[in-house]
Amino acid sequence: MSKFYLTTPIYYPNARPHVGSAYTTIVCDVIARYKRMCGYDVAFLTGTDEHGEKLRRAAEDAGKSPAEFVAEKRKLFTSLWEALGIPRYSSENPAGYRFVHTSQNPDHVKSVHWMIRRATEARYIEKKKYEGRYCIFDERYVSDGTDPVDCDICGRPAELISEENYFFKLSAFQERLLELYDKQPSFVQPDYRMNEVKSFVKGGLRDISISRKRLKWGIPWPDDPEQVVYVWYDALTSYLTGIGFRGLDETSLDSDFHKYWMDLDAERVHMIGKDIIRFHAVYWPAFLMAAGLPLPKTIFAHGWIYYEQDKMSKSKGNVVYPEPIVEALNSFGAPGNDALRYYLLRDTPFGQDASFSYDGLVQRYNSDLANGLGNLASRTLAMVLKYCGGTIPDFADFKKKPGWDEGLRWDNLAREVSIHYDTFNLSSALEKIGEVVSHFGDQFLTFHQPWKHADNPGSKPLINGVLYIALEAVRAAVILAYPVIPEATQKIWEHLNCEGYLGKLEKQRIDQLKWGELKPGTRIGKPEPIFLRLDKAEAVARLHEFAEADRKGHQVPSGKETIVETPTGEKPPNTEQAPAQPTTAAAPAATPASDKISIEDFAKVEMRVGEILSAEPIPKADKLLKLQVDIGTEVRQVCAGLAEHYQPEQLVGMKVVLVTNLLPRKLRGVESNGMIVAASVGEEGRPVLATFKEDVPKGAKLR
């Protein structure tokens, strides 16, 4: 069995973990679940780095000992993972995450001492006097001179330090590191991060101090109790301690360390934030080389999560915490954990920076989960109950129809999803899963409209075949999406009632997913709404309300239960009475020629470039299409009166102009959050979309 070892950063517990910390751990949880569903033996590690001057000072300010202080902070992380439904490793649950912390851990002390002794024996460590500027916030020396200087990472003034330390000869590894990068171009990902690392190393490496004489909160230096081990040598070694390492001479050959680290065929991946790439891609491989140990296979550095395009900061009061988000969405009856996980991964191309917003969260939840997977599952299961007696239909007769499966087999899409998962391109994986839902489910159902044939006995093979295919699309989407939204997909899996012959959902093999495995005659469960659709304004208001209560340390409001209409089997969702349809795709009320507006009035209209990702008809609305439009920072759902003049496939990929600051409105029960700009041509006012001759980036603002 192939082995896969995955780690988060070893988090610094000086503050409560926010949505950025949650993002990294969620990503690792998703990848670990996916790899297990491909037959891998997986170990997933996270933990806390609890030594260093910064934590000692924070503990002193809090009036506590460092040990007490870090123990309290450590619980903030383990409690958050529990709240986010990320299970912890145990003998009963070997699939959970393993947790390592660096303080008060005898095994970790042995690991660090062994690493140092091996490097010393190899003459890569020596003791000498150091005088220079040191940044306590990033735990690193910034300058060898005594002149004042700011840290090049955090920008804070570095302190003047003068003491005798042990130094690691990093300069001796410059050529070996460059050779590593050339031979293993995927060692650092994404590619542009590798270019940054190469540039840093080519600029010349200097020896680094790896001990502190003036500090007491840390691991004592072996055979020299006046010195404390440098926090990064300490923290990075915990990747080994967390899987049973205590030094090669004390680690049994059947340990997890030998299985996941010493086996050269095992995949070893570190997931980190871009700000600590130097320590992982330069220092860590050099430390391992000095000790004669194998290296990780990949260091993947992702970007930062911003709040509405602004860096999160306590001083700005814009730090986003996961717990109130989950609680606020749960108060509506929506699956808060899954909604947060889905949004973070779908809207963040992995490796790049991303902007978090409550608007974007609710919009993505409604468009992809409520109107997408949830709607398909609810509609299909309801129709099976109504037209097939509540059992999975037999589609044998439908297969006799020539070309019945043309364009319906989702095998290739499933393989594409796996490729994206394997390369950690989680946003694209979810986009492809959305194609399974929309193309093989919703569009197929809308085209065949089985509810229209219910009164015709001769149409039974058609109804059975169509519903079987739709159920298969649900099954495929549920299996493929399980790593990202495990709670909701588990409920749908139970509705399908196929565990008895296909097994548990988490045991399904994504890499071996095959068409047609649902067993006809199996009785399905009664469908219950999973992804209740949210009123955007109300949901965003409650998210802010819960966040504010959380910031003030108050108990979050209980919220009021929101009633959401569940779609029926034979009708599309939200079939409330629609207002009169617009006559064009984008027809604001005309301003009389005699009325003039100021440039300030015009400036209030915000228009951005958007790319149409998908287009589909809206049932019982001959003129309307439902579009998903990517405007760079988020994807907007827009209804446009284009169906009589544009085929949906003509629109996909087109760059258009979207008015983005209009109040949302509902057309045929479907929320439209923006307006596509179009010209009105001819006597009939035929809409012609405004687009671009040159390549313009998504999200660009029109002025």
Side-chain angles (χ1 to χ4, degrees):
M1 181 182 290
S2 299
K3 291 174 279 294
F4 187 83
Y5 180 42
L6 178 68
T7 75
T8 73
I10 306 302
Y11 296 110
Y12 209 58
N14 61 321
R16 177 184 174 188
H18 51 63
V19 74
S21 304
Y23 171 69
T24 314
T25 308
I26 289 170
V27 164
C28 288
D29 180 56
V30 168
I31 294 170
R33 290 175 190 263
Y34 164 73
K35 285 294 185 179
R36 291 190 187 99
M37 294 178 77
C38 291
Y40 281 75
D41 178 355
V42 178
F44 163 31
L45 179 79
T46 186
T48 44
D49 166 17
E50 299 178 352
H51 289 141
E53 177 68 356
K54 182 163 55 174
L55 283 175
R56 187 198 65 77
R57 293 187 183 185
E60 188 177 88
D61 292 342
K64 298 176 181 177
S65 70
E68 291 173 325
F69 182 79
V70 296
E72 290 179 2
K73 297 298 182 184
R74 185 190 314 145
K75 289 179 181 177
L76 295 176
F77 287 82
T78 56
S79 297
L80 176 57
W81 309 151
E82 181 180 359
L84 293 178
I86 302 174
R88 188 164 181 171
Y89 174 86
S90 67
S91 57
E92 293 78 24
N93 183 28
Y97 71 85
R98 301 156 189 250
F99 192 89
V100 63
H101 61 92
T102 59
S103 66
Q104 311 301 314
N105 187 335
D107 286 347
H108 185 58
V109 173
K110 290 179 181 179
S111 299
V112 173
H113 282 181
W114 186 90
M115 293 282 289
I116 288 171
R117 288 193 174 105
R118 283 294 294 265
T120 302
E121 291 166 4
R123 300 181 183 276
Y124 291 121
I125 293 177
E126 65 177 2
K127 194 175 185 180
K128 59 184 180 180
K129 187 174 181 180
Y130 174 82
E131 187 172 57
R133 294 283 174 173
Y134 178 75
C135 175
I136 67 164
F137 295 94
D138 290 303
E139 302 284 4
R140 59 186 292 270
Y141 286 96
V142 177
S143 168
D144 291 329
T146 58
D147 294 337
V149 64
D150 293 337
C151 174
D152 58 330
I153 291 180
C154 69
R156 296 179 175 91
E159 297 185 6
L160 179 63
I161 301 294
S162 179
E163 62 183 28
E164 193 173 37
N165 294 155
Y166 289 93
F167 276 72
F168 180 82
K169 295 181 180 179
L170 187 63
S171 58
F173 292 88
Q174 181 166 332
E175 294 306 316
R176 290 178 66 180
L177 288 168
L178 291 174
E179 183 182 3
L180 166 68
Y181 305 148
D182 288 339
K183 288 185 176 179
Q184 291 182 228
S186 62
F187 182 75
V188 177
Q189 291 291 319
D191 293 342
Y192 52 87
R193 299 291 178 211
M194 173 65 96
N195 294 334
E196 293 174 13
V197 170
K198 280 185 177 179
S199 178
F200 173 75
V201 174
K202 287 178 179 178
L205 296 178
R206 59 176 182 161
D207 298 345
I208 58 172
S209 171
I210 56 170
S211 73
R212 306 288 182 264
K213 185 175 181 179
R214 61 196 177 86
L215 302 183
K216 299 303 177 187
W217 179 239
I219 294 177
W221 190 268
D223 307 318
D224 190 348
E226 289 188 346
Q227 300 274 344
V228 168
V229 176
Y230 170 51
V231 69
W232 275 105
Y233 220 117
D234 171 3
L236 292 165
T237 302
S238 62
Y239 292 134
L240 310 181
T241 307
I243 48 174
F245 182 66
R246 297 187 295 275
L248 283 183
D249 49 342
E250 291 193 38
T251 305
S252 63
L253 293 176
D254 62 351
S255 68
D256 284 345
F257 169 73
H258 277 276
K259 179 165 66 169
Y260 296 113
W261 198 274
M262 296 303 287
D263 185 339
L264 298 182
D265 292 328
E267 291 185 56
R268 296 175 292 277
V269 178
H270 296 313
M271 287 287 171
I272 61 169
K274 64 181 181 179
D275 53 324
I276 54 175
I277 190 170
R278 187 182 306 173
F279 303 103
H280 284 77
V282 181
Y283 292 11
W284 180 225
F287 295 163
L288 291 167
M289 289 175 182
L293 293 177
L295 307 184
K297 294 293 178 80
T298 303
I299 312 290
F300 201 111
H302 62 73
W304 287 338
I305 303 290
Y306 293 86
Y307 176 68
E308 295 185 343
Q309 301 184 343
D310 194 9
K311 190 171 182 179
M312 286 189 279
S313 145
K314 277 190 175 182
S315 61
K316 295 178 181 177
N318 66 348
V319 180
V320 179
Y321 297 109
E323 297 94 331
I325 294 172
V326 173
E327 290 164 350
L329 295 178
N330 284 347
S331 74
F332 285 102
N337 268 335
D338 283 351
L340 178 61
R341 288 166 68 101
Y342 186 91
Y343 170 64
L344 286 174
L345 301 184
R346 178 63 180 86
D347 278 32
T348 307
F350 201 51
Q352 300 179 24
D353 293 339
S355 183
F356 183 98
S357 75
Y358 293 133
D359 277 46
L361 168 63
V362 177
Q363 176 66 35
R364 179 62 72 185
Y365 168 84
N366 278 339
S367 62
D368 289 19
L369 298 180
N371 291 347
L373 176 58
N375 178 45
L376 173 63
S378 296
R379 293 176 67 193
T380 305
L381 290 166
M383 284 190 281
V384 170
L385 281 173
K386 187 168 185 177
Y387 305 130
C388 304
T391 62
I392 294 175
D394 188 339
F395 74 127
D397 290 338
F398 188 68
K399 286 196 297 184
K400 297 175 183 177
K401 182 180 178 181
W404 72 270
D405 63 345
E406 185 177 350
L408 292 174
R409 301 296 292 272
W410 38 251
D411 305 60
N412 288 335
L413 270 178
R415 282 191 285 272
E416 289 181 45
V417 171
S418 286
I419 291 170
H420 289 312
Y421 271 131
D422 284 330
T423 55
F424 313 133
N425 191 353
L426 305 181
S427 177
S428 295
L430 292 174
E431 184 179 2
K432 286 295 177 184
I433 294 169
E435 289 184 26
V436 173
V437 171
S438 63
H439 181 71
F440 299 109
D442 286 337
Q443 292 179 23
F444 179 69
L445 284 175
T446 301
F447 177 80
H448 286 285
Q449 297 181 323
W451 53 89
K452 285 190 174 181
H453 304 280
D455 295 331
N456 182 3
S459 297
K460 189 64 175 175
L462 170 67
I463 295 173
N464 287 350
V466 168
L467 293 182
Y468 185 92
I469 290 169
L471 281 174
E472 271 289 276
V474 173
R475 181 180 71 88
V478 162
I479 293 172
L480 294 170
Y482 171 77
V484 177
I485 48 174
E487 295 177 16
T489 49
Q490 177 61 38
K491 291 179 181 178
I492 299 174
W493 189 252
E494 291 168 3
H495 291 163
L496 291 172
N497 197 25
C498 51
E499 183 172 311
Y501 60 95
L502 292 180
K504 294 182 179 297
L505 177 54
E506 66 268 23
K507 300 294 185 181
Q508 302 303 300
R509 290 291 295 265
I510 286 181
D511 59 330
Q512 298 175 5
L513 192 58
K514 296 177 182 178
W515 163 267
E517 293 197 331
L518 285 174
K519 185 178 179 181
T522 303
R523 181 161 294 280
I524 65 168
K526 183 179 180 181
E528 298 175 358
I530 305 289
F531 299 108
L532 298 175
R533 197 177 191 289
L534 303 176
D535 178 270
K536 187 174 183 180
E538 184 180 359
V540 169
R542 192 171 298 180
L543 284 162
H544 282 291
E545 181 185 5
F546 274 54
E548 183 61 24
D550 180 77
R551 271 192 290 270
K552 292 178 178 178
H554 297 160
Q555 184 177 0
V556 293
S558 60
K560 296 181 179 179
E561 195 69 25
T562 299
I563 306 299
V564 182
E565 183 179 350
T566 305
T568 60
E570 68 274 10
K571 296 180 181 179
N574 303 320
T575 52
E576 60 190 65
Q577 183 63 39
Q581 294 184 27
T583 55
T584 67
T591 303
S594 59
D595 291 342
K596 303 291 183 182
I597 63 171
S598 67
I599 189 64
E600 289 79 11
D601 290 330
F602 178 75
K604 293 177 183 177
V605 180
E606 183 178 284
M607 293 182 287
R608 293 190 179 274
V609 177
E611 180 179 343
I612 298 176
L613 302 180
S614 67
E616 58 185 278
I618 296 175
K620 298 189 177 181
D622 295 337
K623 296 181 180 180
L624 290 177
L625 293 176
K626 180 174 71 174
L627 312 176
Q628 301 296 330
V629 185
D630 185 353
I631 58 171
T633 56
E634 62 175 300
V635 176
R636 294 284 189 93
Q637 177 174 286
V638 180
C639 300
L642 302 170
E644 294 180 316
H645 305 281
Y646 289 88
Q647 294 298 314
E649 57 270 19
Q650 291 179 273
L651 297 171
V652 175
M654 184 180 289
K655 294 278 185 71
V656 295
V657 178
L658 184 70
V659 179
T660 58
N661 62 339
L662 289 175
L663 290 173
R665 63 179 299 197
K666 283 188 176 181
L667 299 172
R668 293 290 182 182
V670 178
E671 184 175 283
S672 181
N673 195 9
M675 182 176 70
I676 303 287
V677 175
S680 183
V681 177
E683 294 182 1
E684 296 181 357
R686 177 174 66 88
V688 177
L689 291 172
T691 185
F692 304 91
K693 186 176 181 180
E694 299 179 32
D695 187 23
V696 184
K698 293 177 289 188
K701 190 172 182 179
L702 276 70
R703 355 186 155 180

